[in-house]
Amino acid sequence: MLGIKRLGLLAALVLVGVAPAAAAQAAAQPSTQDTQYLQAVHQVNLFEITAGDLAQQKGKDQGVKDLGAMLKTDHTQLDQTVQQTASQLGVELPNEPSADQQAVIDKLNNASGAEFDRLWVTSELAGHVQAIQATQTEISQGSEPSVVQLAQTALPTLQTHYDELVALANKLGIPVPQTSASGTPSPGGTGTESPAPGGTGTESPAPGGTTESPEPGGGTTTTEVPAPSES
């Protein structure tokens, strides 16, 4: 009888310990903004790793090949942090790029020579503008410290990539899309198929174009778009 009483007491203690732990776990769930940013930036990384490979394999200009290698390396490293952070927060990540990003990859696969270089640079410029804006949104609107820190770490790298792309576009005579303060896709937007920066699920797939899109929580973004570097 004594043994049964002890077992009952142990069971009660276990239950008492589990309840606060479960409550703490529920309270620690990241916000929709944080969750969708992790998912979106992971898809960006998947796209950039593939596009970087294609640039090295198919690029005509050596600058395209070299920058492709740089993007692949940097986004591979960034994604390691994304995956670690998502795992710690219990956020499930997609296992492939968005539909719009995959459409760009398909176009790159079908292009060659100077046409490939032009499409690759143009796509990367548009994609990085959107990734930068989504990252700025996370920094200003995110609530989970580890995700905000990730975004703060990623922003300078994304900006460097954009600057390098602008310089390469100028060298190759490829027009740099004019950017403005109009809204672009960002994690948590409504009325779109994918929250990934680089895809809207509406008129123009991107990387490769920008469209207006609502920001997390409704309304449209007024975030300043990074200005192309002067050369």
Coordinates of all heavy atoms in Angstrom, one line a residue, residues 4-72:
I4 N 2.1 2.0 -3.4 CA 1.1 2.6 -4.3 C 0.9 4.1 -4.0 O 0.8 4.9 -4.9 CB -0.2 1.8 -4.1 CG1 -0.1 0.4 -4.6 CG2 -1.4 2.6 -4.8 CD1 -1.3 -0.4 -4.4
K5 N 0.9 4.4 -2.7 CA 0.8 5.8 -2.3 C 1.9 6.7 -2.8 O 1.8 7.8 -3.3 CB 0.7 6.0 -0.8 CG -0.6 5.4 -0.2 CD -0.6 5.6 1.3 CE -1.9 5.1 1.9 NZ -1.9 5.3 3.4
R6 N 3.2 6.1 -2.8 CA 4.3 6.8 -3.3 C 4.2 7.0 -4.8 O 4.5 8.1 -5.3 CB 5.6 6.0 -2.9 CG 6.0 6.1 -1.5 CD 7.2 5.3 -1.2 NE 7.7 5.4 0.2 CZ 8.7 4.8 0.7 NH1 9.3 3.9 -0.1 NH2 9.0 4.9 2.0
L7 N 3.7 6.0 -5.5 CA 3.6 6.2 -6.9 C 2.6 7.2 -7.2 O 2.7 8.0 -8.2 CB 3.1 4.8 -7.5 CG 4.2 3.7 -7.6 CD1 3.6 2.4 -8.1 CD2 5.3 4.2 -8.6
G8 N 1.5 7.3 -6.5 CA 0.5 8.3 -6.7 C 1.0 9.7 -6.4 O 0.7 10.6 -7.2
L9 N 1.8 9.8 -5.4 CA 2.5 11.1 -5.1 C 3.4 11.5 -6.2 O 3.4 12.7 -6.6 CB 3.2 11.0 -3.8 CG 4.0 12.3 -3.3 CD1 3.0 13.4 -3.2 CD2 4.7 12.0 -2.0
L10 N 4.2 10.6 -6.7 CA 5.1 10.9 -7.8 C 4.4 11.3 -9.1 O 4.8 12.3 -9.7 CB 6.0 9.7 -8.1 CG 7.1 9.4 -7.1 CD1 7.7 8.0 -7.5 CD2 8.1 10.5 -7.1
A11 N 3.3 10.6 -9.3 CA 2.5 11.0 -10.5 C 1.9 12.4 -10.4 O 1.9 13.2 -11.3 CB 1.3 10.0 -10.7
A12 N 1.5 12.8 -9.2 CA 0.9 14.1 -9.0 C 2.0 15.1 -9.1 O 1.8 16.2 -9.7 CB 0.3 14.2 -7.5
L13 N 3.2 14.9 -8.6 CA 4.3 15.8 -8.8 C 4.7 16.0 -10.2 O 5.0 17.1 -10.7 CB 5.5 15.3 -8.0 CG 5.4 15.4 -6.5 CD1 6.6 14.7 -5.8 CD2 5.3 16.8 -6.0
V14 N 4.7 14.9 -11.0 CA 5.0 15.0 -12.4 C 4.0 15.9 -13.1 O 4.3 16.7 -13.9 CB 5.0 13.6 -13.1 CG1 5.1 13.7 -14.6 CG2 6.2 12.8 -12.6
L15 N 2.7 15.7 -12.8 CA 1.7 16.5 -13.5 C 1.8 18.0 -13.1 O 1.6 18.9 -13.9 CB 0.3 16.0 -13.0 CG -0.1 14.6 -13.6 CD1 -1.5 14.2 -13.1 CD2 -0.3 14.8 -15.2
V16 N 2.1 18.2 -11.9 CA 2.3 19.6 -11.4 C 3.5 20.3 -12.2 O 3.5 21.4 -12.5 CB 2.6 19.7 -9.9 CG1 3.0 21.1 -9.5 CG2 1.3 19.3 -9.1
G17 N 4.5 19.5 -12.4 CA 5.7 20.0 -13.1 C 5.4 20.2 -14.6 O 5.9 21.1 -15.2
V18 N 4.6 19.3 -15.2 CA 4.3 19.4 -16.6 C 3.4 20.6 -17.0 O 3.7 21.3 -18.0 CB 3.6 18.1 -17.1 CG1 3.1 18.3 -18.5 CG2 4.6 17.0 -17.1
A19 N 2.5 20.9 -16.1 CA 1.5 22.0 -16.4 C 2.2 23.3 -16.6 O 2.0 24.0 -17.6 CB 0.5 22.1 -15.3
P20 N 3.1 23.8 -15.7 CA 3.8 25.0 -15.9 C 4.7 25.0 -17.2 O 4.8 26.0 -17.9 CB 4.6 25.2 -14.7 CG 4.0 24.4 -13.6 CD 3.4 23.2 -14.4
A21 N 5.3 23.8 -17.4 CA 6.2 23.7 -18.6 C 5.4 23.9 -19.9 O 5.9 24.6 -20.8 CB 6.9 22.4 -18.6
A22 N 4.3 23.3 -19.9 CA 3.4 23.4 -21.1 C 2.9 24.8 -21.3 O 2.9 25.3 -22.4 CB 2.2 22.4 -21.0
A23 N 2.6 25.4 -20.2 CA 2.1 26.8 -20.3 C 3.2 27.7 -20.8 O 3.0 28.6 -21.6 CB 1.6 27.3 -18.9
A24 N 4.5 27.5 -20.3 CA 5.6 28.3 -20.7 C 5.9 28.1 -22.2 O 6.2 29.1 -22.9 CB 6.8 27.9 -19.9
Q25 N 5.8 26.9 -22.6 CA 6.0 26.6 -24.1 C 5.0 27.3 -24.9 O 5.3 27.9 -25.9 CB 5.9 25.1 -24.3 CG 6.3 24.7 -25.8 CD 6.3 23.2 -26.0 OE1 5.9 22.5 -25.1 NE2 6.7 22.8 -27.2
A26 N 3.7 27.3 -24.5 CA 2.7 27.9 -25.2 C 2.9 29.4 -25.3 O 2.7 30.1 -26.3 CB 1.3 27.6 -24.6
A27 N 3.4 30.0 -24.2 CA 3.6 31.4 -24.1 C 4.8 31.8 -25.0 O 4.9 33.0 -25.4 CB 3.8 31.8 -22.7
A28 N 5.7 30.9 -25.2 CA 6.9 31.2 -26.0 C 6.7 31.1 -27.5 O 7.7 31.3 -28.2 CB 8.0 30.3 -25.5
Q29 N 5.5 30.8 -27.9 CA 5.3 30.6 -29.4 C 5.6 31.9 -30.1 O 5.1 33.0 -29.7 CB 3.9 30.2 -29.6 CG 3.5 28.7 -29.2 CD 4.4 27.7 -29.9 OE1 4.5 27.7 -31.2 NE2 5.1 26.8 -29.2
P30 N 6.4 31.9 -31.2 CA 6.7 33.1 -31.9 C 5.4 33.7 -32.6 O 4.5 32.9 -32.9 CB 7.7 32.6 -32.9 CG 7.5 31.2 -33.1 CD 7.0 30.7 -31.8
S31 N 5.5 34.9 -32.9 CA 4.3 35.6 -33.5 C 4.2 35.2 -35.0 O 5.1 34.5 -35.5 CB 4.5 37.1 -33.5 OG 5.6 37.5 -34.3
T32 N 3.1 35.5 -35.6 CA 2.9 35.2 -37.0 C 4.0 35.9 -37.9 O 4.6 35.3 -38.8 CB 1.6 35.7 -37.5 OG1 0.6 35.0 -36.8 CG2 1.4 35.4 -39.0
Q33 N 4.3 37.1 -37.5 CA 5.4 37.9 -38.2 C 6.7 37.1 -38.1 O 7.4 36.9 -39.2 CB 5.6 39.3 -37.6 CG 6.8 40.0 -38.0 CD 7.0 40.3 -39.5 OE1 6.0 40.6 -40.1 NE2 8.2 40.2 -40.0
D34 N 7.1 36.7 -36.9 CA 8.4 36.0 -36.8 C 8.4 34.7 -37.5 O 9.4 34.3 -38.2 CB 8.6 35.7 -35.3 CG 8.8 37.0 -34.5 OD1 9.4 38.0 -35.0 OD2 8.4 37.1 -33.3
T35 N 7.3 33.9 -37.4 CA 7.2 32.6 -38.0 C 7.3 32.8 -39.5 O 8.1 32.0 -40.2 CB 5.8 31.9 -37.7 OG1 5.8 31.7 -36.2 CG2 5.7 30.6 -38.4
Q36 N 6.5 33.7 -40.1 CA 6.5 33.8 -41.6 C 7.8 34.4 -42.1 O 8.2 34.1 -43.2 CB 5.3 34.6 -42.0 CG 4.0 33.9 -41.7 CD 2.8 34.6 -42.4 OE1 2.8 35.7 -42.7 NE2 1.7 33.8 -42.6
Y37 N 8.5 35.2 -41.3 CA 9.8 35.7 -41.7 C 10.8 34.5 -41.8 O 11.5 34.4 -42.8 CB 10.3 36.8 -40.8 CG 11.7 37.2 -41.2 CD1 11.9 38.0 -42.4 CD2 12.9 36.8 -40.5 CE1 13.2 38.4 -42.8 CE2 14.1 37.2 -41.0 CZ 14.3 37.9 -42.1 OH 15.5 38.3 -42.5
L38 N 10.8 33.7 -40.8 CA 11.7 32.5 -40.8 C 11.4 31.6 -42.1 O 12.3 31.2 -42.8 CB 11.5 31.7 -39.6 CG 12.2 32.2 -38.3 CD1 11.8 31.4 -37.1 CD2 13.7 32.3 -38.4
Q39 N 10.1 31.4 -42.3 CA 9.8 30.6 -43.5 C 10.2 31.2 -44.8 O 10.7 30.6 -45.7 CB 8.3 30.3 -43.4 CG 7.9 29.4 -42.2 CD 6.4 29.3 -42.0 OE1 5.6 30.2 -42.5 NE2 5.9 28.3 -41.4
A40 N 9.9 32.5 -44.8 CA 10.2 33.3 -46.1 C 11.7 33.4 -46.4 O 12.1 33.1 -47.5 CB 9.6 34.7 -46.0
V41 N 12.5 33.7 -45.3 CA 13.9 33.9 -45.6 C 14.6 32.5 -45.9 O 15.5 32.4 -46.6 CB 14.6 34.6 -44.4 CG1 14.8 33.7 -43.2 CG2 15.9 35.2 -44.8
H42 N 14.0 31.4 -45.3 CA 14.5 30.1 -45.7 C 14.2 29.8 -47.1 O 15.1 29.3 -47.8 CB 13.8 29.0 -44.8 CG 14.1 27.6 -45.1 ND1 15.4 27.1 -45.1 CD2 13.3 26.6 -45.6 CE1 15.4 25.8 -45.4 NE2 14.2 25.5 -45.7
Q43 N 13.1 30.2 -47.6 CA 12.8 30.0 -49.1 C 13.7 30.8 -49.9 O 14.2 30.4 -51.0 CB 11.3 30.3 -49.4 CG 10.4 29.2 -48.9 CD 9.0 29.4 -49.3 OE1 8.4 30.5 -49.0 NE2 8.4 28.5 -49.9
V44 N 14.0 32.1 -49.5 CA 15.0 32.9 -50.2 C 16.3 32.2 -50.3 O 17.0 32.2 -51.3 CB 15.1 34.3 -49.5 CG1 16.3 35.0 -50.0 CG2 13.9 35.1 -49.7
N45 N 16.8 31.6 -49.1 CA 18.0 30.9 -49.1 C 18.1 29.8 -50.0 O 19.1 29.5 -50.8 CB 18.4 30.5 -47.7 CG 18.6 31.7 -46.7 OD1 19.1 32.7 -47.2 ND2 18.4 31.5 -45.5
L46 N 17.0 29.0 -50.1 CA 16.9 27.8 -51.0 C 17.0 28.3 -52.4 O 17.7 27.7 -53.2 CB 15.6 27.1 -50.8 CG 15.4 26.4 -49.4 CD1 14.0 25.7 -49.4 CD2 16.5 25.3 -49.2
F47 N 16.3 29.4 -52.7 CA 16.4 30.0 -54.1 C 17.8 30.4 -54.4 O 18.3 30.1 -55.5 CB 15.4 31.1 -54.2 CG 15.6 31.9 -55.5 CD1 14.9 31.5 -56.7 CD2 16.4 33.0 -55.6 CE1 15.1 32.1 -57.9 CE2 16.6 33.7 -56.8 CZ 15.9 33.3 -57.9
E48 N 18.4 31.1 -53.5 CA 19.7 31.7 -53.8 C 20.8 30.6 -53.9 O 21.8 30.8 -54.7 CB 20.1 32.7 -52.6 CG 19.3 33.9 -52.6 CD 19.4 34.8 -53.8 OE1 20.4 34.6 -54.6 OE2 18.5 35.6 -54.1
I49 N 20.7 29.6 -53.1 CA 21.7 28.5 -53.3 C 21.6 27.9 -54.7 O 22.6 27.6 -55.3 CB 21.4 27.4 -52.2 CG1 21.8 28.0 -50.8 CG2 22.3 26.2 -52.4 CD1 21.3 27.2 -49.6
T50 N 20.4 27.6 -55.1 CA 20.2 27.0 -56.5 C 20.6 28.0 -57.5 O 21.3 27.7 -58.5 CB 18.7 26.7 -56.7 OG1 18.3 25.7 -55.7 CG2 18.5 26.1 -58.1
A51 N 20.2 29.3 -57.4 CA 20.6 30.3 -58.4 C 22.1 30.5 -58.4 O 22.7 30.8 -59.5 CB 19.9 31.6 -58.1
G52 N 22.7 30.4 -57.3 CA 24.2 30.6 -57.2 C 24.9 29.4 -58.0 O 25.9 29.7 -58.7
D53 N 24.4 28.2 -57.8 CA 24.9 27.1 -58.6 C 24.7 27.3 -60.1 O 25.7 27.1 -60.8 CB 24.2 25.8 -58.2 CG 24.7 25.2 -56.9 OD1 25.9 25.4 -56.6 OD2 24.0 24.4 -56.2
L54 N 23.6 27.8 -60.5 CA 23.3 28.0 -61.9 C 24.2 29.1 -62.5 O 24.7 29.0 -63.6 CB 21.8 28.4 -62.1 CG 20.8 27.3 -61.9 CD1 19.4 27.8 -62.0 CD2 21.0 26.2 -63.0
A55 N 24.5 30.1 -61.7 CA 25.4 31.2 -62.1 C 26.8 30.7 -62.4 O 27.4 31.0 -63.4 CB 25.4 32.3 -61.1
Q56 N 27.2 29.8 -61.5 CA 28.6 29.2 -61.7 C 28.7 28.3 -62.9 O 29.7 28.2 -63.6 CB 29.0 28.5 -60.4 CG 29.2 29.4 -59.2 CD 29.4 28.6 -57.9 OE1 30.6 28.2 -57.7 NE2 28.4 28.5 -57.1
Q57 N 27.6 27.6 -63.1 CA 27.5 26.6 -64.2 C 27.3 27.3 -65.6 O 27.9 26.9 -66.6 CB 26.5 25.6 -64.0 CG 26.7 24.7 -62.7 CD 25.5 24.0 -62.3 OE1 24.5 23.9 -63.1 NE2 25.5 23.4 -61.1
K58 N 26.4 28.3 -65.6 CA 25.9 28.8 -66.9 C 26.2 30.2 -67.2 O 26.0 30.7 -68.3 CB 24.3 28.7 -66.9 CG 23.8 27.3 -66.7 CD 22.3 27.2 -66.9 CE 21.9 27.4 -68.3 NZ 20.5 27.2 -68.6
G59 N 26.8 30.9 -66.2 CA 27.1 32.3 -66.4 C 28.1 32.5 -67.6 O 29.1 31.8 -67.6
K60 N 27.9 33.5 -68.4 CA 28.9 33.8 -69.5 C 30.0 34.7 -69.0 O 31.1 34.5 -69.2 CB 28.1 34.5 -70.6 CG 29.1 34.9 -71.8 CD 28.3 35.5 -72.9 CE 29.2 35.9 -74.1 NZ 28.5 36.6 -75.2
D61 N 29.6 35.7 -68.2 CA 30.5 36.7 -67.6 C 31.1 36.1 -66.3 O 30.4 35.6 -65.5 CB 29.8 38.0 -67.3 CG 30.8 39.1 -66.9 OD1 31.4 39.8 -67.7 OD2 30.9 39.3 -65.6
Q62 N 32.4 36.3 -66.2 CA 33.1 35.8 -65.0 C 32.5 36.5 -63.7 O 32.5 35.8 -62.6 CB 34.6 36.0 -65.0 CG 35.4 35.4 -63.9 CD 35.2 33.8 -63.9 OE1 35.2 33.2 -64.9 NE2 35.0 33.3 -62.7
G63 N 32.1 37.7 -63.8 CA 31.5 38.4 -62.7 C 30.2 37.7 -62.2 O 30.0 37.7 -61.0
V64 N 29.4 37.2 -63.1 CA 28.2 36.5 -62.7 C 28.6 35.2 -62.0 O 28.0 34.8 -61.0 CB 27.4 36.2 -64.0 CG1 26.2 35.2 -63.7 CG2 26.8 37.4 -64.6
K65 N 29.6 34.5 -62.5 CA 30.0 33.2 -61.9 C 30.5 33.5 -60.5 O 30.2 32.8 -59.5 CB 31.2 32.6 -62.7 CG 30.7 32.1 -64.1 CD 31.9 31.5 -64.8 CE 31.5 30.9 -66.2 NZ 30.7 29.7 -66.1
D66 N 31.4 34.6 -60.3 CA 32.0 34.9 -59.0 C 30.9 35.3 -58.0 O 30.9 34.9 -56.8 CB 33.0 36.0 -59.2 CG 34.3 35.5 -60.0 OD1 34.4 34.3 -60.1 OD2 35.0 36.4 -60.4
L67 N 30.0 36.2 -58.5 CA 29.0 36.6 -57.5 C 28.0 35.5 -57.2 O 27.5 35.4 -56.0 CB 28.2 37.8 -58.2 CG 27.2 38.6 -57.2 CD1 27.9 39.0 -55.9 CD2 26.6 39.8 -57.9
G68 N 27.7 34.6 -58.1 CA 26.9 33.5 -57.8 C 27.5 32.6 -56.7 O 26.8 32.1 -55.8
A69 N 28.8 32.4 -56.8 CA 29.5 31.6 -55.7 C 29.4 32.3 -54.4 O 29.2 31.7 -53.4 CB 31.0 31.5 -56.1
M70 N 29.6 33.7 -54.4 CA 29.5 34.4 -53.2 C 28.1 34.3 -52.6 O 27.9 34.1 -51.3 CB 29.8 35.9 -53.4 CG 29.6 36.8 -52.3 SD 29.9 38.6 -52.8 CE 29.3 39.5 -51.3
L71 N 27.0 34.4 -53.4 CA 25.7 34.4 -52.9 C 25.4 33.0 -52.3 O 24.7 32.8 -51.3 CB 24.7 34.7 -54.0 CG 24.7 36.1 -54.6 CD1 23.5 36.4 -55.5 CD2 24.7 37.2 -53.5
K72 N 25.8 32.0 -53.0 CA 25.6 30.6 -52.5 C 26.2 30.4 -51.2 O 25.6 29.9 -50.2 CB 26.1 29.6 -53.5 CG 25.9 28.1 -53.0 CD 26.5 27.1 -53.9 CE 26.4 25.7 -53.4 NZ 27.0 24.7 -54.2

